Amino acid sequence: MRIQRIESKLVEENKNEKIDLSLLDPIIQKYKNKKGSTIPLLQATQQIYGYIPKDAFMYLSKHTGIKTSELFGVATFYAQFRLKPVGKHIVKVCHGTACHVQGANVISESILEALQIKDGETTPDGFYTVESVACLGCCSLAPVIMIDDEVYGKLTGKSAVNIIKEIQLKENN
Amino acid sequence: MKPTKVLVGLASCGIAAGANKVYEKIEAIKHNEKLTFELTKTGCVGMCYREPLVEVIDDTGSYLYGEIDEQKITEIIEKHIKGKEPVKEYIVKTDLFENPDDSYWKNQVKIALRNCGIINPEDIEEYEQYGGYQAIKKLINQNIQPEQVIQTIIDSGLRGRGGGGFPTGMKWKFAYQSKSEQKYVICNADEGDPGAFMDRSLLEGDPHSVLEGMTIAAYAIGATEGVIYCRAEYPLAIKRLNIAIEQARKKGYLGNNIYGKQGWNFDIYVKEGAGAFVCGEETALMASVEGKRGMPRKRPPFPAVSGLWKKPTNINNVETYANVPYIILNGAESYNKYGTEKSKGTKVFALTGKINRGGLVEVPMGISINDVIFKLGGGIQQNKKFKAVQLGGPSGGCIPDYLSDIPIDYESITSTGAIMGSGGMVVMDETTCMVDIARFFLDFTQKESCGKCTFCRIGTKRLLEILTRICEGEGSEGDIELLESLSQQIKDSSLCGLGQTAPNPVLTTIKYFRHEYEAHIRDKKCPAKSCKKLITYTVIEEKCTGCTVCAKNCPVNAITGERKQIHFIDQNICIKCGVCYTKCKFEAINLS
């Protein structure tokens, strides 16, 4: 698998949290008995919970007839699917060729250093998850990062850290 | 008098550079002051290094403004739109007078990108105004038979723009010859190469041209359904595609009895990828569309015989389809007049890396790499020395400076050990370490290997381990030979293109930059001064003025020192990013 996500304390705490599986009913209705719908089904599930909870696999399997092994096999094959909860905001640091040549490593290291976590980890307060991604396709603005759906380009280690801190400051106030 | 038109380039990279804010500002001013000019969104103009871009078209001509922010746009509206006086200092392109950036456009021929940055991608009417959907209508009105369509594509010399370079017309012919009630056309928009964004820009800038190209393919082979497999990392492309499909359905260009032709049913839908590079391989892609793990399978049978859901299927890449309507409308000669004997037409490249003018360019085949880098791209950043150019992403290789006068065509590029690829062109200068580049690509392919073939799954991992060791100064004699033999084995024993080409970055860098490998292994030195384990940054005490610039810019606070006192870099904290080295005005940082 591409991104190794490391469990934080927050995840441990979340383990006992009950999730509302009935939220899945509309998407099951939509995709049930449609051929080739495994991926959209999982994508829709992740859209609801931010990740694919263990119980959701069972529930989906029971109501669509797709084997759990098949669902799990697909979910672990593709980088997009998460099996663990993530932080409120996801910081994707682009490590495409152009960004690599322009110093993406420095951006990653600076951000991780500032947040005191490792790649793939979530901050203890559950605010940020930082992960390295292959290419965001904004090569001419390299090096870039993407926070949620917003892309920030032409960064330096310092400016990247500033962006991250600013967002946190803004939301905390 | 035509109303003044203002276009804002709103592709992903434009938005990242702040084009949305500029657009909102224009909208606000227009609304507040009740101005009458026409404001539209457009796709990627191609001049990515000047983003955000705003084009103003009035009676006197067209003016493209670059690097626009909210302040500059206010000035432009004031002086140009209201005062009729263009703001010369912000103009990066106009037909009316020469501009230093003109050489960026001079050698370009826009066929696939013909509408990008010109039309509003979310408006089917604009596409039609620029000749859109005329090609398919021509086929139907003149009752041109599928065989003839296929022959035109064969005559045009169009080859697969996804990287393989297989003649498109032949592919169509095979699919046409397969007899089946149900056939599929698939558009491969799973642009996974790191460092490439041609397909994204095309889909964001001109989605209808791809839909039209697919419809023509469907007409030619007799397909009933089309699928666009687009990577999930391109949300804007997916959004615009869906808008385009919806508009085409309303016009009767997709759906049942399309173009008024009784019994011709053809529809297209978008299938979102879920993040797997290997799904760019056609058999893996089809497995993914079917909802399975995206693992490639053995060929034959080829998709043209047994593809999606075991039905005959034609798969082409985004750029290939975008060329099709142009060829059908203007004839094969209009396309094959460009290019070389075996590689016809044009190719889109995403020009990035250490280049002055990075962006999206479309050049005729046969142009030399040097011309692209120096004439179009304006040379290397900060006047550094050009070292190599990487073509074809993880499947490609690095072509050194002394070979860069070769023409860009499939055969010449392949002869260097690289591949044409889908169009990523990453320029590297003297500060790029070639061993590190090979390590970077192997890190990528190793993670993306689907795991089916042992040599790809484990072989790439071993290659990566050896390369990492060399980069960290732990390499030993015999490593280069080991890399070479292992690379050959991976090439020979892998099922799909991913494994077969994964060693290319290693082999080409060894071929052309063997001395860099030797320096890492024997002298424990990185000639490009890039491998972190092999370099240190220190303050040259005699030169340090204590200006504190380095300390302020250090992202990890590794530098300490009072104002006007000599500074000190703590090697335990330093992440070797080199910011101090580039920021110091007194050359007081030593890199060794």
Side-chain angles (χ1 to χ4, degrees):
Chain A
M1 239 183 90
R2 268 143 293 239
I3 303 155
Q4 294 289 329
R5 290 190 182 82
I6 303 157
E7 285 191 45
S8 66
K9 272 186 191 153
L10 187 86
V11 178
E12 295 287 327
E13 287 161 14
N14 267 349
K15 265 191 179 155
N16 301 320
E17 199 186 36
K18 277 266 169 250
I19 56 158
D20 181 7
L21 289 170
S22 65
L23 293 173
L24 290 170
D25 292 339
I27 57 167
I28 289 171
Q29 284 309 317
K30 188 175 169 194
Y31 292 112
K32 203 176 176 178
N33 299 328
K34 261 194 189 170
K35 59 177 184 177
S37 60
T38 316
I39 294 173
L41 201 58
L42 292 169
Q43 281 168 334
T45 308
Q46 181 155 299
Q47 197 97 67
I48 296 174
Y49 304 106
Y51 70 109
I52 305 170
K54 194 175 155 194
D55 294 344
F57 281 110
M58 310 294 177
Y59 193 80
L60 288 174
S61 172
K62 196 174 142 195
H63 291 92
T64 59
I66 305 171
K67 292 192 191 86
T68 5
S69 60
E70 205 183 315
L71 286 171
F72 194 73
V74 169
T76 49
F77 184 83
Y78 296 97
Q80 192 191 17
F81 297 119
R82 308 189 180 92
L83 305 181
K84 307 259 163 64
V86 280
K88 190 174 172 198
H89 300 286
I90 298 176
V91 182
K92 292 179 180 164
V93 185
C94 180
H95 282 259
T97 320
C99 288
H100 179 78
V101 172
Q102 302 279 31
N105 280 337
V106 177
I107 308 294
S108 267
E109 281 167 26
S110 307
I111 292 174
L112 295 172
E113 168 82 24
L115 295 176
Q116 287 290 312
I117 51 170
K118 293 194 188 82
D119 194 16
E121 278 186 341
T122 303
T123 49
D125 60 358
F127 197 79
Y128 281 125
T129 299
V130 181
E131 54 191 37
S132 302
V133 296
C135 187
L136 296 171
C138 299
C139 309
S140 48
L141 299 169
V144 303
I145 61 171
M146 191 171 184
I147 303 176
D148 303 328
D149 277 336
E150 188 110 359
V151 179
Y152 302 84
K154 292 187 179 167
L155 298 171
T156 62
K158 197 93 185 173
S159 65
V161 170
N162 283 344
I163 291 167
I164 292 212
K165 286 188 173 160
E166 264 170 39
I167 292 177
Q168 201 155 13
L169 266 177
K170 233 187 233 169
E171 287 202 15
N172 286 346
N173 285 332
Chain B
M1 203 176 84
K2 277 202 299 190
T4 304
K5 211 172 164 182
V6 178
L7 298 118
V8 184
L10 284 168
S12 282
C13 35
I15 292 172
N20 256 338
K21 283 183 191 135
V22 173
Y23 184 85
E24 280 160 20
K25 185 83 187 173
I26 303 174
E27 219 172 17
I29 297 176
K30 186 179 179 227
H31 181 78
N32 289 342
E33 306 188 15
K34 299 196 170 54
L35 300 173
T36 54
F37 62 84
E38 199 182 307
L39 175 64
T40 28
K41 297 173 179 180
T42 185
C44 178
V45 185
M47 236 179 174
C48 306
Y49 65 104
R50 291 282 197 203
E51 293 278 12
L53 292 157
V54 176
E55 190 175 7
V56 178
I57 304 169
D58 61 16
D59 313 334
T60 56
S62 117
Y63 306 83
L64 185 66
Y65 291 102
E67 289 163 64
I68 296 306
D69 53 26
E70 290 160 80
Q71 202 183 340
K72 283 181 188 167
I73 196 65
T74 316
E75 190 182 337
I76 291 166
I77 292 176
E78 202 56 44
K79 289 186 181 160
H80 188 163
I81 296 175
K82 286 158 82 181
K84 300 280 168 217
E85 191 57 48
V87 191
K88 277 193 175 169
E89 60 261 45
Y90 305 147
I91 290 176
V92 290
K93 187 196 174 203
T94 172
D95 306 328
L96 304 181
F97 52 85
E98 275 190 31
N99 201 287
D101 283 15
D102 284 351
S103 54
Y104 183 74
W105 304 95
K106 215 173 174 182
N107 294 297
Q108 294 200 49
V109 177
K110 302 241 177 185
I111 293 178
L113 298 176
R114 59 194 178 279
N115 294 323
C116 275
I118 295 169
I119 62 163
N120 178 355
E122 297 181 12
D123 187 353
I124 192 169
E125 307 287 341
E126 283 206 21
Y127 178 66
E128 292 199 286
Q129 274 168 31
Y130 283 83
Y133 292 111
Q134 291 304 313
I136 182 77
K137 284 177 186 165
K138 176 180 158 184
L139 296 182
I140 290 161
N141 295 339
Q142 300 181 12
N143 200 18
I144 298 173
Q145 292 306 304
E147 294 88 345
Q148 264 175 286
V149 177
I150 294 171
Q151 196 54 48
T152 309
I153 298 295
I154 292 176
D155 292 343
S156 75
L158 177 64
R159 294 169 66 171
R161 293 290 186 251
F166 190 81
T168 306
M170 293 307 288
K171 222 177 191 176
W172 289 19
K173 198 172 181 178
F174 295 140
Y176 169 74
Q177 286 165 344
S178 297
K179 294 282 167 262
S180 173
E181 283 290 301
Q182 174 99 55
K183 291 185 194 177
Y184 294 98
V185 286
I186 297 181
C187 173
N188 184 347
D190 190 48
E191 184 175 51
D193 280 18
F197 53 92
M198 301 76 52
D199 296 347
R200 175 182 64 73
S201 301
L202 240 168
L203 292 172
E204 288 176 0
D206 192 13
H208 284 288
S209 69
V210 179
L211 299 186
E212 190 180 358
M214 287 176 75
T215 312
I216 293 169
Y219 179 83
I221 70 161
T224 47
E225 206 170 310
V227 183
I228 302 175
Y229 187 87
C230 186
R231 65 191 290 242
E233 288 88 339
Y234 289 170
L236 187 62
I238 293 171
K239 184 185 145 208
R240 290 196 178 149
L241 271 173
N242 281 320
I243 293 173
I245 291 172
E246 211 38 61
Q247 290 174 340
R249 281 184 190 145
K250 276 201 187 122
K251 285 244 173 191
Y253 297 166
L254 288 175
N256 291 337
N257 306 321
I258 55 174
Y259 296 97
K261 200 170 145 74
Q262 281 304 313
W264 188 27
N265 304 338
F266 176 70
D267 206 353
I268 297 177
Y269 67 95
V270 180
K271 189 94 185 176
E272 252 181 75
F277 175 65
V278 72
C279 288
E281 201 277 343
E282 55 184 18
T283 58
L285 186 150
M286 291 185 303
S288 184
V289 174
E290 291 174 7
K292 301 182 200 139
R293 290 165 72 97
M295 284 170 141
R297 63 157 174 83
K298 207 170 145 255
R299 291 177 303 185
F302 285 92
V305 177
S306 172
L308 186 63
W309 309 111
K310 301 225 174 350
K311 301 288 179 202
T313 303
N314 177 65
I315 299 195
N316 287 129
N317 142 287
V318 173
E319 190 187 332
T320 313
Y321 282 126
N323 280 311
V324 167
Y326 179 90
I327 295 168
I328 296 296
L329 195 60
N330 301 293
E333 303 74 37
S334 67
Y335 194 74
N336 67 22
K337 68 179 180 194
Y338 299 106
T340 61
E341 194 199 332
K342 285 183 176 163
S343 304
K344 300 292 185 194
T346 59
K347 176 82 196 87
V348 180
F349 285 101
L351 193 56
T352 57
K354 307 261 183 171
I355 189 138
N356 276 324
R357 301 182 196 146
L360 196 68
V361 299
E362 183 169 357
V363 288
M365 291 277 191
I367 190 174
S368 78
I369 293 177
N370 266 336
D371 279 355
V372 174
I373 293 173
F374 291 96
K375 284 193 184 154
L376 271 79
I380 310 298
Q381 287 174 355
Q382 295 159 8
N383 281 324
K384 289 208 170 115
K385 194 178 167 300
F386 169 47
K387 186 185 207 167
V389 60
Q390 213 282 342
L391 283 179
S395 307
C398 295
I399 299 173
D401 58 341
Y402 57 85
L403 285 181
S404 59
D405 54 353
I406 61 156
I408 295 178
D409 64 54
Y410 287 96
E411 282 71 26
S412 306
I413 302 238
T414 308
S415 73
T416 66
I419 61 162
M420 175 77 86
S422 60
M425 194 183 259
V426 185
V427 178
M428 295 160 189
D429 68 8
E430 55 195 330
T431 63
T432 314
C433 171
M434 303 315 280
V435 188
D436 178 62
I437 285 296
R439 189 200 59 73
F440 165 77
F441 280 117
L442 258 295
D443 181 51
F444 180 83
T445 35
Q446 185 264 129
K447 283 176 186 157
E448 296 291 344
S449 169
C450 79
K452 188 168 186 165
C453 308
T454 316
F455 273 89
C456 176
R457 182 181 70 240
I458 302 173
T460 53
K461 203 167 178 69
R462 293 290 99 85
L463 280 182
L464 174 64
E465 282 169 4
I466 300 166
L467 290 165
T468 308
R469 208 167 69 212
I470 296 174
C471 285
E472 291 180 348
E474 311 275 327
S476 48
E477 287 296 331
D479 272 353
I480 299 178
E481 291 72 21
L482 184 58
L483 285 172
E484 284 174 327
S485 72
L486 188 52
S487 292
Q488 202 51 52
Q489 287 163 356
I490 297 171
K491 269 171 125 38
D492 294 342
S493 324
S494 299
L495 181 65
C496 83
L498 191 147
Q500 286 162 7
T501 58
N504 283 351
V506 183
L507 291 172
T508 52
T509 49
I510 292 180
K511 186 172 169 190
Y512 300 117
F513 300 95
R514 200 182 183 98
H515 56 278
E516 289 198 22
Y517 279 83
E518 288 166 349
H520 280 78
I521 294 170
R522 291 182 192 150
D523 313 329
K524 312 291 174 206
K525 274 187 184 145
C526 176
K529 293 183 180 170
S530 148
C531 290
K532 287 183 179 168
K533 284 270 169 83
L534 303 177
I535 53 166
T536 44
Y537 290 94
T538 45
V539 176
I540 306 169
E541 297 192 356
E542 301 82 57
K543 287 188 179 170
C544 181
T545 62
C547 70
T548 74
V549 164
C550 58
K552 274 185 197 146
N553 279 289
C554 179
V556 291
N557 300 324
I559 306 178
T560 47
E562 294 295 313
R563 178 166 283 282
K564 297 194 177 165
Q565 302 278 313
I566 292 165
H567 281 51
F568 170 75
I569 303 175
D570 186 337
Q571 298 300 334
N572 293 325
I573 304 175
C574 177
I575 56 167
K576 296 172 184 171
C577 67
V579 163
C580 51
Y581 182 79
T582 45
K583 291 277 176 185
C584 182
K585 287 180 197 139
F586 309 99
E587 294 176 0
I589 306 285
N590 182 42
L591 168 58
S592 60

